[in-house]
Amino acid sequence: MTASFRCTCFALRKLTRTVSRLYDLHLAGVGLKTTQYSLLQNLDPAGVAMAELAHKLGTDRTTLTRTLKPLIVAGWVMQTAGTDARRRIVRITDAGQEKRHSAAKAWREAQTELELALGLDLVHALHSDVGAALHELNPLLEEKLHAAVE
C-alpha cells in the first residue's frame, strides 16, 4: 500500500472507533457502551417501531437487535408486538430512563473532553460536514438498496 492511498471509509471508521473509545471510557463507569447510550437516547416510553428506529440510527435491524439484547436483559428496554405480528415496538422502561439520566453526566464529560481536544470550530465543522455527507449519500444508498431488491 502506498502513502498516497486514501480510503474515505477506512479514515472515517478509524475516526469513529477513536471517538467511540473516548466515549466508552467515560460511559464504562455507568455500565454502558456508546452504542447503548445512543440507543437509550433515541427511545421514549411511547415506543418506536424497530424499522423506524433502525432507520433513525442508520443501522440495519440485525445490528439493532444485537445492540438491544443486553438492554432488554437489563430491563432498560422492552420490546412488544406492534399492530401486526411482523411489527415490533421498542420502548424505554422507567429503569432505562434512570440509566439514561445517570449516564448523561458521563456523556457530557466525554463530549467536553472531545471539544477541548479538537476545539469547537473543528467539532462544529465535523457535524456540518457529516450532516452534508449523509444528506448526499442517503438517497444514493436507498437507490442502491431498492435496485438490489428488484
Side-chain angles (χ1 to χ4, degrees):
M1 181 162 37
T2 66
S4 64
F5 176 76
R6 307 257 325 162
C7 176
T8 303
C9 184
F10 175 78
L12 290 172
R13 287 179 60 91
K14 186 174 181 180
L15 174 62
T16 57
R17 283 191 302 268
T18 301
V19 171
S20 292
R21 281 196 303 265
L22 173 63
Y23 282 75
D24 282 342
L25 286 170
H26 285 271
L27 290 166
V30 294
L32 288 175
K33 295 179 181 176
T34 303
T35 52
Q36 295 169 328
Y37 181 70
S38 294
L39 214 159
L40 290 175
Q41 282 294 99
N42 283 282
L43 290 175
D44 63 54
V48 63
M50 281 279 287
E52 183 183 331
L53 183 59
H55 180 75
K56 184 177 182 181
L57 296 172
T59 191
D60 59 76
R61 287 182 60 150
T62 303
T63 301
L64 179 57
T65 299
R66 197 171 39 250
T67 305
L68 278 169
K69 188 174 183 174
L71 300 179
I72 292 169
V73 169
W76 302 327
V77 171
M78 62 184 280
Q79 191 176 36
T80 58
T83 53
D84 68 52
R86 296 170 298 168
R87 189 171 159 97
R88 305 297 296 167
I89 304 298
V90 183
R91 293 177 172 81
I92 190 168
T93 64
D94 290 344
Q97 290 181 72
E98 290 174 23
K99 177 56 83 171
R100 177 172 65 191
H101 181 73
S102 70
K105 182 178 182 221
W107 176 87
R108 172 46 47 207
E109 289 169 353
Q111 183 74 18
T112 299
E113 193 169 2
L114 178 82
E115 290 168 351
L116 288 172
L118 298 180
L120 284 177
D121 288 344
L122 181 53
V123 171
H124 291 147
L126 279 170
H127 281 259
S128 178
D129 290 348
V130 166
L134 287 170
H135 178 77
E136 296 298 325
L137 288 173
N138 280 332
L140 173 65
L141 182 59
E142 291 296 321
E143 178 184 310
K144 296 252 182 225
L145 290 172
H146 282 55
V149 171
E150 295 172 354

